[in-house]
C-alpha cells in the first residue's frame, strides 16, 4: 500500500522521471537504513516481500491508466493498431513457413483454424481479436486487471470470436505452472521491453509451448538510435507515445534475445527489423533492426 | 478468402427476363481491357462472348472547327482498344454468374430503402443498419453503395458532393450505316454543341451517343426518323465556317511536325454516314459531373457512379466503376486475411486513396476536354488543334493514354 502511494506521489511531482530512477528513489526513501548497501539494479534484494517476478508494477500502472482509451485507433494506441498490419502476417505466415500449418489451410478463409495460441501481455486485445478472427483459439493473459476488463468487454461486441478467446489476469509465471507443453504458438509482442526479468519471462513462455511450437516476439532494440527516435522524439518531442512508456534500460538487443531463446531450447528462425512512419501511422518491414524488430523461434523437440 | 462472408444485394428494379432480344439495345458501354479481365475473372465474360459484343481496334477523333484529328490504334490494329457491349447483355452475363452463388449471395429485387443507420463512433465496432420500406431491417458489417449518381447511401454518409450539370443531354440511338463496312472503328467528332460519337455494333449497325444542349436533344427526339438522320449526317459531315487563321495555322503546324518527326500523319479514314435509325431506339439522358469528396466511412464504401460521374465523351464512366470494384475486392480480401473487420477504416481509407488518385485526374481531364471543345473562340480552337496534332504525332503518348484508361 505504501509502495503504491509513494509511486503515485512521485509521479505527480515529477512525471518525467523514468521508472528506473523512480525505483531507486523509493528504495532510498522508504528504507533509509539499507541505503548504504544500495545497488542500482537489483530491486529484488531490497524488497523481500516481492517474489521473483517478471512484472514491473510501475509499467502495469502506466498502461492500466490508458485502458479506457485503448481501442481508439486514432488515439494513443494508434501505433499498436497499425502494427497489426505486420504482426498478423508475421504470425500467420511464420506458422506456414515452419510447417505448423499447411498451404491449403493457409489459403482458406480461416488459416489458423485449430491452432492454440497464447498471447502474453495481450493488453486490450488489439492483436488477440484478429488472430481469433482468422481461426485461432487464443488465450490472452495480462498482469493488469484493467486491461483484461477492457479486453473482455470489447470482445463481446463481435459474437463471431467471443467463444474463441479467453482472457485472464495473471502473470506468465503463474500461467506456465499449469500449462506446460500446451500451445502451438506463443505471441509476446511489444511486451519484452516492459519486463524486468527477461530470462524468467522467456523461460516461462517457452515452457508453455508444445515441442515444435513457435514463439513470436516483437520488441525494441537497446541502441542510441532507438532512444533518439523511439523515446526522445516519440515521447517528448512529437508526443505520439505517452511519456514514460518506454525505458532504454529495459530494452534488449536481438542477439541477447536470441541467446536467451537458445538457452531455453529454441532455434531462431527469423529476425527482421521494422520501422514506423509517424506521419502516416504506418509500419513497414525494414532491413534495419536498430529500433524495432521481430523474432520468430521454434522450440526444439525434446 | 472472402468465401466465408454473406452478401445481400438490394436491387431496386424488378427481376429481368433472361432472354436476349434480337434487337440491339440503345444503351451500350465501352469496356476497356481492365474491365474485360475483371469480367473474365468472375466468369461473366464467356456469357458476353457467347451473346454479342464488338471489338474496337481503332479510334478516330476530329472536330468541326479545324482539320486537326487524332487516331488511336495499337500497331497494325493488333490489339483491341475497347469492347462495345450492350448494357443489357452485360447485366444478363453477370446475373448468370450471380445465380450460381446461392450459398453466400442473396438478391432481393424491388427493394425500397427507407433509410440507413451508419456507425458514428470511433474505436468500437459498430454495424450498419439498413431499413426497408417493404421488408425487414438488416444489420451488416459493410454497406457498399453502388446505387448510381443519386446515391442514397452517399446522402446518408453526409459527405460533400461536388457536382454540376452540363446542361446537356446524351442522345442515344441504334443506327444503320449507309453501307456495310469492317466496322471496327469508333468515331467521335467534337462540335461546339458537344461531341457526337458512333460506336460499332456490327458491320451494319452502330450505336450513337450524341451529347448536345437540352433543347437540341429534345428537338432531336421529336424529329421524324428521316429528319433525325439528316441532322446526324450534317453533324458528322458538315464543315462549319472557319476562321482562315485556324486553317493556315493548323496546316503550317502540321507541316512543321511532319518535318520534325519525319512521319506523315495517317491519311484520314472517312467515317461512315448513316442511312437510317432503328425505330424506337432514340432516347436521351442528362449529363453532369459528380465527385464525392469521401468514398468511404466506417462500415460504408461507395463504388461507381455513386462516387464519381463523368461526361460520356471518353467512354470511361463505367470503366472507372469497374476499377473501383476490383480495387475494393482486393483490399477487402487482404483485410479479411489479416483478421480485420470488414467495415474497419484502415483498408477502406486505402481504397479511397488509391481510387481517388486514379479517378480524379481522369475526371478532371474529361471535364477539361468538354469545356475546351465547347467553344468556337479562335485562339482556343488553334490551341486545341495544335494539341491534338501534337498528340497524334507522338505515338508513345497515345500508347500510354490507351494503357492508362
Amino acid at each position: 500500500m505504501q509502495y503504491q502511494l509513494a509511486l503515485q506521489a512521485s509521479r505527480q511531482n515529477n512525471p518525467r522521471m523514468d521508472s528506473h530512477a523512480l525505483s531507486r528513489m523509493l528504495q532510498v526513501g522508504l528504507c533509509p537504513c539499507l541505503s548504504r548497501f544500495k545497488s542500482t539494479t537489483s530491486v529484488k534484494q531490497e524488497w523481500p516481500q516481492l517474489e521473483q517476478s517478471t512484472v514491473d508494477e510501475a509499467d502495469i500502472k502506466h498502461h492500466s491508466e490508458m485502458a479506457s482509451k485503448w481501442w481508439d485507433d486514432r488515439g494513443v494506441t494508434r501505433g499498436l493498431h497499425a502494427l497489426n498490419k505486420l504482426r498478423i502476417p508475421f504470425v500467420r505466415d511464420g506458422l506456414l513457413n515452419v510447417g505448423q500449418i499447411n498451404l491449403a489451410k493457409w489459403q482458406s478463409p480461416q488459416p489458423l483454424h485449430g491452432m492454440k495460441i497464447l498471447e502474453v501481455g495481450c493488453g486490450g486485445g488489439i492483436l488477440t481479436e484478429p488472430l481469433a478472427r482468422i481461426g485461432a483459439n487464443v488465450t490472452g493473459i495480462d498482469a493488469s486487471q484493467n486491461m483484461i476488463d477492457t479486453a473482455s468487454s470489447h470482445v463481446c461486441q463481435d459474437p463471431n470470436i467471443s467463444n474463441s478467446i479467453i482472457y485472464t489476469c495473471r502473470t506468465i509465471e503463474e500461467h506456465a505452472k499449469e500449462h506446460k507443453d500446451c500451445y502451438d504458438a506463443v505471441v509476446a509482442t511489444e511486451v519484452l521491453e516492459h519486463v524486468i526479468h527477461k530470462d524468467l519471462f522467456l523461460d516461462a513462455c517457452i515452457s508453455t509451448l508444445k515441442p515444435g511450437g513457435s514463439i513470436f516476439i516483437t520488441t525494441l532494440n537497446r541502441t542510441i538510435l532507438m532512444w533518439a527516435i523511439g523515446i526522445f522524439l516519440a515521447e517528448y518531442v512529437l508526443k505520439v507515445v505517452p511519456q514514460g512508456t518506454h525505458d532504454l534500460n529495459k530494452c534488449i538487443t536481438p542477439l541477447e534475445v536470441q541467446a536467451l531463446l537458445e538457452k531455453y531450447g529454441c532455434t531462431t528462425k527469423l529476425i527482421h527489423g521494422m520501422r514506423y512512419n509517424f506521419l502516416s501511422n504506418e509500419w513497414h518491414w525494414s532491413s534495419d533492426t536498430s529500433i524495432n524488430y521481430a523474432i520468430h523461434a521454434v522450440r526444439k523437440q525434446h | 478468402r472472402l468465401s466465408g462472408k454473406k452478401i445481400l444485394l438490394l436491387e431496386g428494379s424488378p427481376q429481368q427476363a433472361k432472354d436476349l432480344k434480337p434487337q440491339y439495345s440503345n444503351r451500350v458501354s465501352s469496356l476497356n481491357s481492365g474491365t474485360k479481365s475483371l469480367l473474365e475473372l468472375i466468369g461473366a465474360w464467356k456469357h458476353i462472348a457467347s451473346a454479342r459484343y464488338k471489338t474496337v481496334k481503332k479510334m478516330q477523333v476530329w472536330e468541326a472547327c479545324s482539320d486537326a484529328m487524332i487516331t488511336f490504334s495499337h500497331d497494325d490494329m493488333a490489339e483491341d482498344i475497347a469492347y462495345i457491349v450492350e448494357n443489357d447483355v452485360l447485366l444478363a452475363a453477370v446475373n448468370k454468374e450471380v445465380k450460381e452463388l446461392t450459398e453466400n449471395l442473396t438478391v432481393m429485387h424491388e427493394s425500397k430503402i427507407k433509410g440507413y443507420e451508419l456507425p458514428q463512433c470511433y474505436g468500437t465496432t459498430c454495424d450498419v443498419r439498413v431499413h426497408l420500406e417493404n421488408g425487414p431491417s438488416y444489420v451488416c458489417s459493410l454497406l457498399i453503395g453502388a446505387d448510381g449518381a443519386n446515391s442514397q447511401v452517399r446522402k446518408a454518409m453526409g459527405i460533400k458532393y461536388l457536382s454540376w450539370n452540363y446542361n446537356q443531354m446524351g442522345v442515344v440511338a441504334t443506327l444503320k450505316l449507309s453501307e456495310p463496312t469492317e466496322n471496327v472503328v469508333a468515331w467521335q467528332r467534337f462540335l461546339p454543341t458537344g461531341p457526337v460519337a458512333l460506336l460499332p455494333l456490327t458491320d451494319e449497325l452502330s450505336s450513337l451517343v450524341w451529347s448536345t444542349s437540352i433543347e437540341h436533344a429534345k428537338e432531336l427526339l421529336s424529329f421524324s426518323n428521316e429528319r433525325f438522320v439528316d441532322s446526324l449526317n450534317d453533324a458528322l459531315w458538315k464543315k462549319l465556317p472557319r476562321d482562315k487563321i485556324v486553317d493556315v495555322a493548323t496546316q503550317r503546324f502540321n507541316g512543321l511536325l511532319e518535318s520534325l518527326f519525319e512521319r506523315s500523319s495517317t491519311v484520314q479514314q472517312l467515317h461512315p454516314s448513316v442511312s437510317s435509325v432503328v425505330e424506337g431506339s432514340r432516347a436521351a439522358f442528362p449529363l453532369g459531373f459528380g465527385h464525392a469528396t469521401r468514398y468511404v466511412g466506417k462500415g460504408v464504401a461507395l463504388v461507381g457512379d455513386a462516387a464519381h460521374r463523368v461526361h460520356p465523351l471518353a467512354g470511361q464512366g463505367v470503366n472507372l466503376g469497374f476499377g473501383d470494384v476490383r480495387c475494393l475486392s482486393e483490399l477487402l480480401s487482404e483485410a479479411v486475411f489479416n483478421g480485420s473487420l470488414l467495415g474497419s477504416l484502415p483498408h477502406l481509407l486505402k481504397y479511397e486513396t488509391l481510387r481517388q488518385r486514379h479517378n480524379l485526374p481522369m475526371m478532371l481531364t474529361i471535364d477539361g476536354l468538354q469545356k475546351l471543345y465547347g467553344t468556337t473562340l479562335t485562339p482556343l480552337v488553334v490551341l486545341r488543334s495544335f494539341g491534338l496534332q501534337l498528340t497524334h504525332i507522338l505515338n508513345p503518348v497515345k500508347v500510354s493514354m490507351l494503357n492508362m484508361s
Side-chain angles (χ1 to χ4, degrees):
Chain A
M1 185 59 181
Q2 267 178 320
Y3 181 86
Q4 298 290 351
L5 282 174
L7 204 65
Q8 208 157 357
S10 56
R11 280 225 168 245
Q12 279 163 357
N13 292 338
N14 190 353
R16 279 184 172 233
M17 200 184 294
D18 67 33
S19 48
H20 181 69
L22 185 60
S23 37
R24 277 192 62 198
M25 191 209 80
L26 286 171
Q27 292 157 31
V28 171
L30 293 176
C31 278
C33 53
L34 294 171
S35 57
R36 276 177 292 164
F37 308 103
K38 206 43 69 270
S39 138
T40 55
T41 50
S42 47
V43 178
K44 57 179 162 60
Q45 292 170 357
E46 308 304 326
W47 298 99
Q49 62 263 42
L50 272 179
E51 286 180 343
Q52 282 219 16
S53 167
T54 56
V55 160
D56 180 349
E57 290 292 341
D59 237 302
I60 298 301
K61 188 161 195 302
H62 176 79
H63 285 90
S64 296
E65 280 163 7
M66 298 193 268
S68 57
K69 300 176 252 168
W70 204 253
W71 274 97
D72 180 4
D73 58 0
R74 295 199 173 184
V76 293
T77 52
R78 62 177 177 272
L80 281 177
H81 284 277
L83 189 54
N84 274 355
K85 174 187 155 203
L86 295 189
R87 292 192 286 187
I88 299 287
F90 179 48
V91 173
R92 181 195 73 211
D93 301 347
L95 290 173
L96 173 74
N97 284 337
V98 297
Q100 283 182 263
I101 52 180
N102 62 32
L103 191 62
K105 189 150 93 157
W106 183 83
Q107 288 172 334
S108 69
Q110 304 261 280
L112 298 188
H113 181 67
M115 301 295 282
K116 280 185 73 178
I117 300 187
L118 172 68
E119 192 190 346
V120 186
C122 60
I126 293 179
L127 183 62
T128 332
E129 291 192 14
L131 283 175
R133 235 170 253 130
I134 50 174
N137 287 319
V138 192
T139 305
I141 64 172
D142 199 282
S144 157
Q145 186 60 51
N146 266 4
M147 283 298 182
I148 294 293
D149 293 338
T150 308
S152 307
S153 62
H154 193 268
V155 82
C156 295
Q157 294 178 17
D158 188 351
N160 292 330
I161 51 171
S162 318
N163 295 331
S164 319
I165 301 183
I166 303 171
Y167 286 117
T168 337
C169 175
R170 42 160 55 157
T171 63
I172 180 64
E173 308 90 83
E174 292 160 15
H175 194 75
K177 287 180 197 152
E178 302 152 24
H179 291 88
K180 292 231 177 301
D181 294 4
C182 189
Y183 295 101
D184 297 294
V186 167
V187 180
T189 64
E190 305 303 304
V191 79
L192 203 56
E193 67 268 22
H194 298 288
V195 156
I196 306 179
H197 299 294
K198 303 187 197 319
D199 44 354
L200 297 180
F201 179 83
L202 287 174
D203 187 17
C205 289
I206 292 165
S207 68
T208 63
L209 273 178
K210 292 179 189 166
S214 290
I215 177 164
F216 297 94
I217 296 171
T218 75
T219 187
L220 302 167
N221 200 346
R222 193 177 65 242
T223 59
I224 301 288
L225 195 62
M226 159 50 210
W227 179 84
I229 296 184
I231 298 181
F232 184 66
L233 198 67
E235 293 181 19
Y236 294 97
V237 175
L238 297 175
K239 300 197 171 119
V240 290
V241 176
Q243 287 179 15
T245 302
H246 294 127
D247 174 6
L248 188 63
N249 293 307
K250 282 158 73 180
C251 293
I252 182 169
T253 69
L255 287 178
E256 287 168 354
V257 177
Q258 197 174 355
L260 284 174
L261 290 170
E262 291 281 342
K263 181 175 163 190
Y264 295 116
C266 287
T267 325
T268 305
K269 292 290 179 185
L270 173 71
I271 304 181
H272 210 292
M274 310 185 290
R275 66 180 164 79
Y276 179 57
N277 181 332
F278 293 114
L279 296 169
S280 62
N281 190 34
E282 271 184 16
W283 286 88
H284 301 277
W285 290 113
S286 161
S287 49
D288 177 26
T289 56
S290 359
I291 308 179
N292 297 81
Y293 63 93
I295 289 195
H296 172 199
V298 171
R299 190 179 189 189
K300 294 182 197 152
Q301 306 285 346
H302 290 319
Chain B
R1 288 183 202 151
L2 292 170
S3 57
K5 305 295 173 192
K6 285 219 177 70
I7 305 176
L8 174 65
L9 173 61
L10 296 169
E11 168 65 49
S13 60
Q15 199 152 15
Q16 303 281 0
K18 281 163 287 185
D19 31 320
L20 192 60
K21 299 196 196 86
Q23 214 184 18
Y24 275 82
S25 127
N26 57 6
R27 293 302 301 267
V28 303
S29 298
S30 152
L31 309 178
N32 64 13
S33 44
T35 305
K36 179 187 177 212
S37 52
L38 174 64
L39 291 170
E40 279 170 345
L41 201 68
I42 63 173
W45 185 258
K46 54 182 190 281
H47 303 302
I48 297 177
S50 64
R52 54 190 185 220
Y53 72 97
K54 188 68 178 170
T55 316
V56 173
K57 292 202 191 271
K58 186 172 164 198
M59 251 171 45
Q60 185 165 306
V61 179
W62 72 111
E63 62 151 312
C65 298
S66 88
D67 280 331
M69 68 134 205
I70 187 171
T71 60
F72 290 93
S73 63
H74 286 280
D75 295 323
D76 300 327
M77 306 222 274
E79 274 176 51
D80 312 327
I81 295 180
Y83 306 92
I84 308 296
V85 180
E86 296 154 83
N87 290 358
D88 288 341
V89 169
L90 183 54
L91 279 174
V94 174
N95 271 326
K96 235 187 190 154
E97 283 304 307
V98 159
K99 290 213 169 30
E100 311 283 318
L101 299 167
T102 44
E103 251 182 54
N104 315 38
L105 174 59
T106 321
V107 184
M108 279 179 55
H109 290 273
E110 296 186 60
S111 327
K112 281 194 179 40
I113 304 293
K114 192 162 150 201
Y116 300 105
E117 264 177 63
L118 300 176
Q120 295 291 328
C121 23
Y122 281 122
T124 50
T125 52
C126 293
D127 295 315
V128 181
R129 290 187 199 288
V130 180
H131 303 292
L132 291 176
E133 267 182 48
N134 53 352
S137 297
Y138 295 99
V139 178
C140 63
S141 347
L142 176 64
L143 174 67
I144 297 185
D147 43 352
N150 287 325
S151 167
Q152 223 177 327
V153 174
R154 186 185 65 230
K155 291 191 182 109
M157 282 166 77
I159 50 176
K160 266 217 190 83
Y161 183 60
L162 201 61
S163 69
W164 52 82
N165 267 323
Y166 285 126
N167 282 327
Q168 286 186 329
M169 287 184 101
V171 176
V172 293
T174 317
L175 311 167
K176 238 191 167 135
L177 302 176
S178 49
E179 48 194 48
T181 165
E182 199 203 344
N183 203 1
V184 290
V185 186
W187 309 95
Q188 176 148 292
R189 190 183 195 207
F190 279 101
L191 303 169
T193 49
V196 56
L198 289 180
L199 305 170
L201 288 174
T202 69
D203 285 343
E204 294 177 341
L205 292 176
S206 281
S207 185
L208 170 74
V209 183
W210 188 352
S211 314
T212 182
S213 66
I214 301 184
E215 302 83 41
H216 189 212
K218 293 204 170 118
E219 256 183 13
L220 287 172
L221 288 182
S222 66
F223 282 171
S224 66
N225 284 350
E226 295 79 27
R227 202 162 163 211
F228 178 77
V229 170
D230 286 337
S231 303
L232 181 53
N233 280 323
D234 255 357
L236 289 172
W237 288 98
K238 187 158 158 204
K239 277 193 173 192
L240 290 185
R242 304 218 177 139
D243 229 324
K244 279 230 183 67
I245 304 178
V246 171
D247 276 341
V248 169
T250 50
Q251 274 169 20
R252 290 269 171 85
F253 192 63
N254 212 11
L256 175 69
L257 286 178
E258 281 180 13
S259 60
L260 270 180
F261 289 94
E262 290 172 9
R263 258 194 339 115
S264 60
S265 37
T266 36
V267 174
Q268 185 168 2
Q269 189 178 346
L270 284 180
H271 51 281
S273 52
V274 178
S275 69
S276 67
V277 57
V278 170
E279 186 64 49
S281 68
R282 275 182 277 166
F285 57 95
L287 304 180
F289 176 93
H291 165 63
T293 47
R294 305 304 312 269
Y295 282 13
V296 300
K298 191 168 185 131
V300 64
L302 297 173
V303 294
D305 275 12
H308 43 75
R309 185 182 176 204
V310 291
H311 197 280
L313 66 85
Q316 289 308 307
V318 79
N319 293 315
L320 292 181
F322 280 116
D324 292 347
V325 165
R326 191 179 212 153
C327 182
L328 185 60
S329 52
E330 277 172 8
L331 284 173
L332 285 179
S333 167
E334 202 183 291
V336 165
F337 199 41
N338 282 352
S340 304
L341 284 170
L342 270 181
S344 66
L345 269 177
H347 55 271
L348 290 180
L349 285 174
K350 193 167 169 193
Y351 157 72
E352 180 187 71
T353 311
L354 286 174
R355 288 314 292 175
Q356 283 192 337
R357 254 186 226 160
H358 176 271
N359 293 345
L360 218 50
M362 177 82 81
M363 290 160 66
L364 293 175
T365 310
I366 295 177
D367 188 64
L369 284 174
Q370 193 268 342
K371 299 209 160 41
L372 182 62
Y373 278 96
T375 166
T376 48
L377 289 178
T378 308
L380 284 174
V381 173
V382 171
L383 205 68
R384 72 194 188 206
S385 306
F386 281 2
L388 206 59
Q389 286 173 314
L390 188 64
T391 319
H392 178 56
I393 282 279
L394 293 174
N395 250 347
V397 175
K398 287 199 284 184
V399 169
S400 66
M401 279 169 73
L402 284 174
N403 287 336
M404 206 186 60
S405 67

